[in-house]
Amino acid sequence: MRISFASSPRPGRENEDFVIASPDVAVVLDGAGIPDGLSTGCVHGVPWFVQQLGTELHRRAVEQQAGLTECLADSIHHVSQLHASTCDLSNPMTPTATVAMVRVRGESLEWLALSDSTIVINGRDGLQAVSDHRVSDVTASQRIDMAAALKGLSETDRRRRLAYAQRDVMNQAEGYWVAAHDPKAAEEALMGSSPLVDVRTVALLTDGAARPVDDFHEMTWTEAMHHLESEGPEGLIDRTRAMENADPNAERWPRRKCHDDATAALLRF
């Protein structure tokens, strides 16, 4: 497995994505940003959380024979114990992250996706894109349901109200699932495996890197994978930034943030 990757923060902000890889395991995390002025209850912050969780998850996936779900659950528990004594993990804005990972194990390629980071597998039988978009579905529904309550508020206050509403249904059956402090979230991850001989390339993408397909609808997954394979992860992120810059007021492609952290990893077999 040969791996190339790139990660780009939102302009002027610290990167809340994280990527770590070795010959048999690759992990990409997307930390959930929160509106300015809101406390996470964590003295460390989101970048610390994704670095700790990603590093521990990669270590366990490399060193242990456990399944990926167990590796993720144990990693979530481990990181929660690292800062439970210093941070308020019950705070609604506690750091969280999406997860996309793959592992070569014997003659198989195992994969796991939690929340809306995407895994794209390009194999003999075509493309398979895996992602759980319940969080965006929840947010879109809340914007409609809360329209009257949000009317007249400043943009800052609207974002804060929506952020709290979104966190109210986090890691619940009627809501969406992400890695936070409860290991049970790992049980909700999408999982699967493919015969290694059938796999050509695999992409791991945070939602910021998947925007040309998921949000802007300017590419198909086939086109995005072709671009990744020919131009590399940097090329896909550059294309994404060009699209964002061409629509700075989010008019052509309505979105909460003009720019987002973007991370792409390409695995060749």
Side-chain angles (χ1 to χ4, degrees), residues 230-244:
S230 60
E231 302 297 329
E234 296 90 347
L236 180 64
I237 292 175
D238 288 345
R239 177 73 66 92
T240 303
R241 292 291 185 238
M243 292 179 182
E244 293 170 336

Side-chain angles (χ1 to χ4, degrees), residues 1 23-25 68 102-111 121 192-199 202 269:
M1 186 169 77
D24 291 333
V25 177
L68 297 185
V102 297
R103 175 172 67 179
V104 174
R105 193 174 188 185
E107 300 302 316
S108 296
L109 178 73
E110 302 173 333
W111 52 264
I121 303 170
S193 65
S194 301
L196 198 56
V197 69
D198 292 340
V199 179
V202 174
F269 297 85

Side-chain angles (χ1 to χ4, degrees), residues 3 5 17 21 25 54 61-62 66 74 77 80 84-85 106 120-121 128-130 178 198 200 207 211 225 228 238:
I3 303 170
F5 59 84
D17 287 355
V25 177
V62 169
D74 290 345
H77 175 74
S80 71
S85 63
V120 186
I121 303 170
Q128 177 186 11
V130 180
V178 292
D198 292 340
R200 289 182 54 243
D207 64 338
R211 277 183 160 185
M225 285 300 289
L228 264 171
D238 288 345

